[in-house]
Amino acid sequence: MTALDARTDRTTVLRFPAGFRWGTATAAYQIEGAAAEDGRTPSIWDTFSRTPGKVRNGDTGDIAADHYHRVDEDVALMGRLGVTDYRFSVAWPRVQPTGRGPAVRKGLDFYRRLADRLLDAGIRPVVTLYHWDLPQELEDAGGWPERETAYRFAEYAGIMADALGDRVATWTTLNEPWCAAFLGYGNGVHAPGRTSDVAALRAAHHLNLAHGLGARALRGALPGAAEVSLTLNLHAVRAGSGSAGDVDAARRIDAVGNRLFLDPVFHGRLPEDLVRDTAAVTDWAFVRDGDLAAVAAPIDSLGINYYAPSVVAAGSSESPSPWAGAERHVRFEPVPGPRTAMDWPVDADGLHGLLVRLRDELPGVPLVITENGAAYDDYTDPSGRVKDPERVAYLRAHLTAVHRALADGADVRGYFLWSLLDNFEWAYGYSKRFGIVHVDFASQRRTLKDSARWYAEVIARGGLADGPVRDGR
């Protein structure tokens, strides 16, 4: 058997294409731990999590899921699940502690070892170079609002390509640059915790530039068959009504949440309406000649992270807001229906809508769901089992939406479930559990949840079966 407790005696009603990539995903700061070992220096998240009041319960990623010391165990779990791909991120300060200069050998060796273990298990490693853990020394020099950080990222990308290019065929430059820019520098709920509209917009542009320069550095060092991509958390935004004010509110959120990244990357331009919306904040003089051409470096696929949609109406948002140029014009409305432990609405139609939109707006660009999942209040029952039927229902609904998008002509190549392990959930600390593997953080014991067994069965079949999975298998 290639998957845990796989059962093939039921009818598959929604089969995915041959070669569809079934994966799971994690991020370095959320799982690795070993925060001060083997030359690793602080990232902005190490600093932020030690700032009183920033992270729930004062939690940090110092130990997290201790993946740094448990690679073999965690890769074995993936092998039991039968995943074809594993998307992980590299901790920039683990391999280039100051964000400049030569790499640390032990840091590179950790990722070489991880990639080798994956390949030995028949699992393709998928590398994300930046999942928010900027070396603190670069933040001290100005961080993402300064263009120098983009050049430092390109250097780092070249280092990683040289180190892992013989093992890794799929590379992602950035994960969710919107979050890095607007949650980190706009409303300050993420590291580094700054609150400035102009800093957020500058950061967004320099993250775009880092992507373009990083993609060029990867192309220069990797074999020709390697894939280069970018992952965006595109916002499935809907107007609360057909009124002009509500429609304009949706346009504003789409501009700063989606088109600020899509337009430069795929069309080499800034959204003209966003420039107008933010005229009172900045004149965009930080965008220099040649920047947008660099940002538009060709990529092989676009990663999509999706969790929930948003409904907006004319109004105003709380300050500080992550919506530069929109906060005085937009109010977020409640979305009806069930909600996750993050208080996010469950609505798979938003994912289908995004995929169909990208089918129409970016013809010829392959799409990959690089994150999709849900947090629930999981626990181990007296029998040692972790029952999470809500997560199974969430995943089933969203995979059904992906299948429907495929039938509607969207070129979706794979699905990476977030997340493999319960982990450090950013400002929520350890209070939210997204994993399909339960982690007891005191003992570091791993327990497969029912959703893991269900996902293994989906992978083994290559699709969704009729009816629920019996006893979580």
Side-chain angles (χ1 to χ4, degrees):
M1 288 290 184
T2 59
L4 178 75
D5 293 339
R7 299 170 63 92
T8 57
D9 58 343
R10 300 181 198 171
T11 302
T12 298
V13 294
L14 296 178
R15 184 172 294 280
F16 284 71
F20 192 82
R21 301 168 74 169
W22 296 100
T24 188
T26 62
Y29 189 73
Q30 293 184 270
I31 68 165
E32 283 183 3
E37 293 186 33
D38 295 336
R40 185 190 180 279
T41 57
S43 73
I44 56 175
W45 269 98
D46 293 280
T47 302
F48 187 77
S49 64
R50 284 171 167 73
T51 304
K54 295 298 186 182
V55 175
R56 187 170 296 183
N57 300 320
D59 292 339
T60 74
D62 286 1
I63 300 174
D66 198 31
H67 175 70
Y68 191 78
H69 300 113
R70 297 171 185 268
V71 165
D72 290 352
E73 179 182 1
D74 291 340
V75 172
L77 282 174
M78 288 182 255
R80 294 177 67 193
L81 296 175
V83 297
T84 64
D85 294 68
Y86 173 53
R87 175 179 178 250
F88 62 92
S89 77
V90 174
W92 189 348
R94 191 177 296 286
V95 300
Q96 197 186 28
T98 67
R100 297 179 176 84
V104 172
R105 182 186 59 80
K106 288 185 177 180
L108 293 178
D109 285 348
F110 168 72
Y111 295 107
R112 291 187 180 110
R113 185 169 69 255
L114 171 57
D116 287 345
R117 296 294 184 272
L118 292 166
L119 292 169
D120 289 345
I123 300 168
R124 284 186 292 260
V126 177
V127 166
T128 299
L129 289 174
Y130 187 70
H131 200 132
W132 309 349
D133 45 0
L134 186 71
Q136 182 61 45
E137 190 162 320
L138 290 184
E139 173 60 24
D140 293 342
W144 286 112
E146 300 303 321
R147 68 186 294 113
E148 180 65 17
T149 308
Y151 296 114
R152 299 283 61 77
F153 176 81
E155 179 185 62
Y156 157 63
I159 288 170
M160 293 310 305
D162 287 338
L164 296 182
D166 60 340
R167 296 165 167 86
V168 176
T170 304
W171 295 75
T172 300
T173 53
L174 309 176
N175 178 79
E176 298 186 355
W178 183 88
C179 291
F182 292 97
L183 300 184
Y185 295 92
N187 71 348
V189 300
H190 277 193
R194 291 160 64 178
T195 54
S196 164
D197 280 353
V198 68
L201 293 168
R202 288 175 62 95
H205 173 64
H206 294 138
L207 281 154
N208 279 342
L209 182 61
H211 158 71
L213 297 176
R216 186 167 66 188
L218 291 172
R219 297 281 189 207
L222 294 173
E227 301 175 17
V228 177
S229 66
L230 167 70
T231 283
L232 301 176
N233 59 314
L234 296 177
H235 296 78
V237 58
R238 305 165 185 161
S241 76
S243 72
D246 288 2
V247 170
D248 186 64
R251 177 199 63 76
R252 287 174 180 272
I253 296 302
D254 184 61
V256 73
N258 296 332
R259 289 183 283 114
L260 174 55
F261 302 96
L262 290 172
D263 283 10
V265 170
F266 291 101
H267 306 299
R269 66 183 184 231
L270 289 171
E272 293 181 0
D273 57 332
L274 176 63
V275 174
R276 291 193 301 270
D277 290 345
T278 56
V281 178
T282 180
D283 61 3
W284 293 84
F286 49 83
V287 180
R288 298 184 185 176
D289 290 345
D291 281 5
L292 294 173
V295 173
I299 58 176
D300 300 298
S301 64
L302 176 64
I304 307 300
N305 291 356
Y306 174 84
Y307 293 94
S310 299
V311 174
V312 297
S316 61
S317 301
E318 293 182 4
S319 184
S321 165
W323 303 102
E327 56 264 63
R328 293 188 299 276
H329 304 272
V330 177
R331 180 182 72 252
F332 284 81
E333 300 277 82
V335 179
R339 307 184 84 79
T340 71
M342 297 289 288
D343 199 31
W344 295 346
V346 178
D347 187 338
D349 286 342
L351 177 56
H352 174 267
L354 273 179
L355 294 173
V356 170
R357 170 185 174 173
L358 295 169
R359 173 203 66 188
D360 295 340
E361 294 185 3
L362 301 176
V365 177
L367 308 174
V368 178
I369 310 304
T370 40
E371 287 184 26
N372 177 240
Y376 289 101
D377 295 325
D378 308 319
Y379 61 92
T380 305
D381 71 13
S383 71
R385 180 173 163 187
V386 183
K387 302 175 184 177
D388 57 343
E390 300 94 345
R391 183 174 289 106
V392 171
Y394 178 101
L395 296 172
R396 180 187 291 279
H398 286 76
L399 279 169
T400 299
V402 174
H403 189 274
R404 184 156 55 100
L406 282 163
D408 290 338
D411 185 9
V412 185
R413 304 288 180 90
Y415 177 90
F416 288 73
L417 189 157
W418 185 271
S419 176
L420 175 68
L421 303 169
D422 289 337
N423 56 35
F424 175 87
E425 187 47 41
W426 307 116
Y428 291 91
Y430 296 100
S431 68
K432 305 297 180 186
R433 293 181 176 270
F434 274 90
I436 56 172
V437 175
H438 182 277
V439 177
D440 180 305
F441 293 107
S443 67
Q444 293 296 336
R445 180 181 178 185
R446 274 83 160 128
T447 302
L448 293 166
K449 303 178 187 180
D450 283 2
S451 57
R453 300 176 183 277
W454 177 86
Y455 191 47
E457 195 171 282
V458 169
I459 296 169
R461 268 197 199 89
L464 294 166
D466 56 342
V469 177
R470 191 163 54 243
D471 293 331
R473 296 182 173 85

